[in-house]
Amino acid sequence: MADTYGNGLAAAPALESGNAHPAALPYDQTAPVIGKVFFDSPEGPKVCSGTAVADPAQRGRSSLVWTAGHCVHAGAKGGWYRNIVFVPAYNTNGLSGASRSNAGLDRVAPFGVWWADWAQTSTQWIANGTSTGHGTGFDFGVLHVRPPSGSASLEETLGQVATVRFGISSAGAVPSTSAWGYPANKSFDGELMYYCHGRPRQFVLDEGQPFMYRIGCTMTGGSSGGGWFARNRDGSLVLISNTSVGSRSSTWLAGPHFGAVAQDVYRSVSARFAHKPRRTQ
């Protein structure tokens, strides 16, 4: 997470406090579309969070994962990360210590380990993104992942995926949102899923960039890329953002608005795999 910003955002509206709450167990039943992202960087192994999302070109058979741009590419002064994997419902039973170390793969990765064979983010993040939060208005990324074995897609394996909503007019149009992920810094260890719930406020970190959503939340690095959900008027849940940046004091998180650029990234990855044959083992 690009979380080097302090709390002195003069133009940002005041936030409600937002403590992180542990997700209900087991994750494979309560939140199967949320998972942990692992990858290698020049500085060593890193972690993020991600969400299994629908594929407009492969309805019912999606293998797309939404995450943050900085979880796939280092931004203006770096390159693409390597060996990216998505583990949906990671550590589904919330095991800790020796019980987790000694657990079988089915308890740590109940749906298997899904390797990314494609990652994409915005050209704006690649050109302008920094570890101090610049470029975060375009800090989103999409993975295509391949099955651990056989030919079943991620959606077929999980039984569900999240729908992505683009073009919301303002943060004020969203009465409430919940941000999910696997925070790994400070008082968290990256092994448990948490969420924060709040009414999003609108602000901009970089002049000229699209607005972002911001909520009070104590989650830390590791939750980057995790999905932000809201409800449509019919009550259905949709993905509206992903965690991008937070405060030094771990009191708030912010995520980008999904506009035309985000939709183009999403559609581009979808189109790339639209006619790929099923993989067999």
Side-chain angles (χ1 to χ4, degrees), residues 22-97:
L25 299 170
Y27 306 147
D28 64 319
Q29 298 296 316
T30 63
V33 301
I34 309 297
K36 190 164 178 174
V37 176
F38 299 82
F39 57 97
D40 289 332
S41 78
E43 295 79 35
K46 291 189 176 184
V47 294
C48 277
S49 301
T51 305
V53 295
D55 183 343
Q58 301 273 359
R59 298 191 182 278
R61 295 190 55 248
S62 176
S63 287
L64 301 185
V65 175
W66 197 286
T67 188
H70 74 263
C71 299
V72 302
H73 192 283
K77 295 185 177 179
W80 295 98
Y81 295 131
R82 299 179 181 275
N83 301 323
I84 305 173
V85 299
F86 177 63
V87 184
Y90 171 78
N91 193 20
T92 183
N93 294 308
L95 302 177
S96 62

Side-chain angles (χ1 to χ4, degrees), residues 118-134:
W118 188 259
Q120 195 160 326
T121 184
S122 66
T123 57
Q124 292 87 343
W125 171 257
I126 293 172
N128 303 308
T130 72
S131 61
T132 56
H134 296 294

Side-chain angles (χ1 to χ4, degrees), residues 66 120 140 142 166 259-271:
W66 197 286
Q120 195 160 326
F140 36 74
V142 178
F166 301 94
V261 175
Q263 191 168 27
D264 284 348
V265 171
Y266 175 64
R267 287 177 172 172
S268 176
V269 179
S270 172

